[in-house]
Amino acid sequence: MKILVPVKRVIDYNVKVRVKSDESGVDLANVKMSMNPFDEIAVEEAIRLKEAGTAEEIVAVSIGPEKAQDQIRQALAMGADRGILIKTDAEVEPLAVAKLLKAVVDEEKPELVILGKQAIDDDSNQTGQMLAALLGWGQGTFASKVEKTDGKLNVTREIDGGLQTVSLNLPAIVTTDLRLNEPRYASLPNIMKAKKKPLDVKEIADYGVDIAPRLEVIKVTEPPKREAGVKVETVAELVDKLKNEAGVI
């Protein structure tokens, strides 16, 4: 089984995000960039499936600038076999990403696509679902456990009411949640080996997909600062504040 794992270059989750002075977007100048954490989990799960003998090849794919090769190389150092970069400096919205990934799927013919449930920069949580719809494949979103048995993929999903297990026919789409696994650190020897693994660089035009934006960003602002809390002396005072000041009861 071949597994395709999309990975995205995002601001490192430890970095405090700064808004541009003109409020047109987020300032990326001199900011540490990393692989989207949910995509790291997807890469780790693909590697575990390969180690279990379920998968034979893992292909990491990214859509972004030239420097997104760093995130693909990270996936290769973790254990992916080869990478594909679809190079563009433009902002690519989830629907365009899904269309590009569909083109890659049509070309690569994987049986499984594992990707993060969302990216921590835009929090859209749309690409996996859109890709499944475009391909007409079954999908298991918010996965906290993935098992292949009897030719099917059993995916345990995290939902509001607890857990739900769905059985998917392959080929299928899986999006990963935080509790699926703990991604490994790439060892130095594997980082060196990753430099020799194949990485194809392609252009948007190679796939004939229109990535023109459908949305317009009007303004980006920081959230309002939280006000300091207060201590109350009695339950009655607490109830009064919740009712008359906070308006929550």
Side-chain angles (χ1 to χ4, degrees), residues 128-202:
Q129 294 90 327
M130 289 177 169
L131 178 60
L134 291 171
L135 289 168
W137 291 6
Q139 58 180 303
T141 55
F142 318 128
S144 61
K145 186 177 180 180
V146 176
E147 292 180 314
K148 186 181 179 185
T149 55
D150 300 326
K152 291 191 174 184
L153 206 66
N154 294 325
V155 179
T156 301
R157 306 177 60 239
E158 298 204 355
I159 59 175
D160 290 342
L163 299 176
Q164 176 190 55
T165 301
V166 294
S167 182
L168 307 176
N169 292 318
L170 294 172
I173 307 291
V174 172
T175 72
T176 62
D177 214 329
L178 283 174
R179 280 161 287 278
L180 179 57
N181 60 52
E182 184 73 28
R184 68 193 67 190
Y185 288 100
S187 65
L188 182 58
N190 286 337
I191 292 172
M192 300 306 293
K193 290 177 184 177
K195 295 180 179 180
K196 298 181 179 179
K197 290 184 179 181
L199 196 165
D200 295 331
V201 179
K202 301 194 176 185

Side-chain angles (χ1 to χ4, degrees), residues 57-247:
E57 185 182 25
I58 301 169
V59 182
V61 58
S62 188
I63 302 164
E66 186 82 26
K67 290 183 178 180
Q69 289 190 43
D70 295 343
Q71 282 63 55
I72 296 176
R73 292 293 180 194
Q74 180 184 343
L76 297 177
M78 289 174 67
D81 298 293
R82 57 189 176 89
I84 301 170
L85 172 63
I86 304 175
K87 190 172 68 172
T88 177
D89 291 322
E91 290 288 333
V92 187
E93 294 176 358
L95 179 59
V97 172
K99 289 180 177 179
L100 285 167
L101 291 177
K102 178 183 182 299
V104 175
V105 168
D106 291 341
E107 192 175 78
E108 292 288 336
K109 301 291 190 295
E111 288 185 74
L112 179 63
V113 179
I114 305 180
L115 64 162
K117 70 172 184 177
Q118 64 195 77
I120 63 171
D121 53 359
D122 58 19
D123 278 332
S124 292
N125 187 5
Q126 295 175 333
T127 302
Q129 294 90 327
M130 289 177 169
L131 178 60
L134 291 171
L135 289 168
W137 291 6
Q139 58 180 303
T141 55
F142 318 128
S144 61
K145 186 177 180 180
V146 176
E147 292 180 314
K148 186 181 179 185
T149 55
D150 300 326
K152 291 191 174 184
L153 206 66
N154 294 325
V155 179
T156 301
R157 306 177 60 239
E158 298 204 355
I159 59 175
D160 290 342
L163 299 176
Q164 176 190 55
T165 301
V166 294
S167 182
L168 307 176
N169 292 318
L170 294 172
I173 307 291
V174 172
T175 72
T176 62
D177 214 329
L178 283 174
R179 280 161 287 278
L180 179 57
N181 60 52
E182 184 73 28
R184 68 193 67 190
Y185 288 100
S187 65
L188 182 58
N190 286 337
I191 292 172
M192 300 306 293
K193 290 177 184 177
K195 295 180 179 180
K196 298 181 179 179
K197 290 184 179 181
L199 196 165
D200 295 331
V201 179
K202 301 194 176 185
E203 304 287 340
I204 298 289
D206 296 337
Y207 296 99
V209 173
D210 177 18
I211 65 167
R214 268 68 172 177
L215 305 174
E216 179 185 358
V217 176
I218 305 300
K219 184 170 65 171
V220 177
T221 60
E222 292 188 9
K225 292 184 179 180
R226 296 180 63 180
E227 296 181 0
V230 296
K231 291 184 178 181
V232 295
E233 298 294 334
T234 65
V235 173
E237 186 182 354
L238 172 62
V239 172
D240 179 69
K241 286 185 176 294
L242 290 175
K243 183 177 181 180
N244 299 313
E245 293 184 18

Side-chain angles (χ1 to χ4, degrees), residues 26-80:
V26 172
D27 188 1
L28 300 180
N30 301 315
V31 173
K32 181 183 178 183
M33 306 293 284
S34 300
M35 185 191 299
N36 179 46
F38 290 102
D39 296 341
E40 280 191 272
I41 294 169
V43 174
E44 174 65 28
E45 192 63 23
I47 294 167
R48 293 188 184 191
L49 289 171
K50 184 179 179 181
E51 290 173 342
T54 301
E56 297 173 355
E57 185 182 25
I58 301 169
V59 182
V61 58
S62 188
I63 302 164
E66 186 82 26
K67 290 183 178 180
Q69 289 190 43
D70 295 343
Q71 282 63 55
I72 296 176
R73 292 293 180 194
Q74 180 184 343
L76 297 177
M78 289 174 67

